[in-house]
Amino acid sequence: MKSGNNAEEIRNTGSADLNENEQKRCIKLLTIIGEIEGHEAVSGNTKATKYEHLLPMLAEIEDSQEVDGVLILLNTLGGDVEAGLSIAEMIASLSKPTVSLVLGGSHSIGGPLAVAAKYSFIVPSGTMIIHPVRSNGIFIGTEQSLRNMIRTQDRITRFLSEHSKISRQRIEELMLNPTELVKDVGTLLEGRDAVKEGLIDEVGGMSDALHKLHEMIDQYHDKKCEIM
């Protein structure tokens, strides 16, 4: 029955409970893949992460006495900025140990999502793209719209710098780099480069991420015992 529920959860939300480990801990696995869907639904042929699924799940994780930690797997090209930032803020506000692992890529608004965890990994072939905020459609008030985009960009830059080891100045340099991307400004960072820049904590894979998460859970429980 438990296995059937887990399979249904994976199919419906891309999440799962990892509880077959030696330590008998419950780790919540979350996946952020495809496009980050905001207030408008994406094309039916596009894989998407829906923030209305993730936000209640994150609240449930924080409130649960059973969940010991969270592992987040990312492979996203970005998407809705407001939705992405809201998910990132929720992840960052969790009191429980959290570890992220960038697999294929974590581009655009995927950057804040990757660094929102308390510790982050990226596989050697993984990539992250940092670029300025873009917008589609008609601008009614150009000057006002530009100011709004700049403020949104500042929010992203501030979040990245506050949740990683990279400075705001360096983020802006990478965002406005005209030599990396074809027909665009920005920078593509491969695994080791993302770590070297201080954006991601460590290069590693699934075993590294799980090992680190168990280590963080031990420290988390030790602190709780000290307080008690």
Side-chain angles (χ1 to χ4, degrees):
M1 186 73 176
K2 197 170 184 180
S3 177
N5 290 340
N6 218 19
E8 187 176 353
E9 193 174 16
I10 293 171
R11 185 168 56 251
N12 293 336
T13 64
S15 65
D17 293 326
L18 308 180
N19 47 24
E20 299 296 326
N21 50 80
E22 291 182 8
Q23 296 89 341
K24 300 300 179 184
R25 293 173 177 145
C26 180
I27 292 173
K28 194 71 176 181
L29 172 68
L30 302 179
T31 57
I32 298 177
I33 60 171
E35 185 173 342
I36 309 302
E37 185 179 274
H39 300 299
E40 295 182 8
V42 301
S43 164
N45 297 322
T46 303
K47 286 190 177 294
T49 294
K50 301 177 184 294
Y51 82 117
E52 69 267 29
H53 288 173
L54 272 183
L55 295 185
M57 205 179 301
L58 290 165
E60 189 176 52
I61 287 168
E62 179 63 21
D63 193 53
S64 172
Q65 293 184 10
E66 295 181 1
V67 178
D68 295 298
V70 185
L71 176 63
I72 305 155
L73 304 182
L74 298 108
N75 188 5
T76 175
L77 295 176
D80 188 283
V81 171
E82 297 296 335
L85 274 177
S86 68
I87 298 170
E89 290 284 8
M90 279 284 282
I91 293 171
S93 69
L94 293 177
S95 64
K96 297 182 180 182
T98 54
V99 170
S100 65
L101 173 59
V102 176
L103 296 168
S106 195
H107 303 170
S108 192
I109 198 61
L113 289 165
V115 306
K118 291 179 174 61
Y119 202 88
S120 56
F121 285 89
I122 186 170
V123 295
S125 62
T127 57
M128 300 187 74
I129 292 179
I130 301 177
H131 64 73
V133 170
R134 304 186 185 100
S135 181
N136 297 322
I138 299 171
F139 288 132
I140 297 174
T142 306
E143 186 178 342
Q144 294 88 336
S145 298
L146 177 60
R147 282 204 302 268
N148 185 53
M149 288 180 69
I150 291 172
R151 290 177 68 181
T152 301
Q153 187 64 70
D154 285 343
R155 288 162 60 203
I156 295 171
T157 304
R158 182 169 63 250
F159 188 93
L160 286 170
S161 64
E162 288 177 353
H163 292 87
S164 68
K165 301 181 185 75
I166 191 170
S167 68
R168 292 187 65 169
Q169 181 181 350
R170 182 56 179 158
I171 293 169
E172 289 168 0
E173 288 173 359
L174 294 173
M175 280 182 174
L176 301 176
N177 179 13
T179 65
E180 282 276 334
L181 305 179
V182 179
K183 297 181 181 178
D184 198 0
V185 293
T187 301
L188 184 148
L189 298 171
E190 293 186 20
R192 287 182 174 81
D193 295 325
V195 174
K196 192 182 296 183
E197 290 286 354
L199 192 60
I200 297 293
D201 290 311
E202 193 174 336
V203 173
M206 180 62 75
S207 61
D208 301 297
L210 278 172
H211 177 78
K212 181 65 179 180
L213 185 54
H214 281 291
E215 186 181 281
M216 291 168 65
I217 291 170
D218 283 340
Q219 295 169 355
Y220 177 76
H221 286 311
D222 287 346
K223 284 184 181 178
K224 285 185 73 175
C225 288
E226 287 174 10
I227 293 171
M228 291 174 67

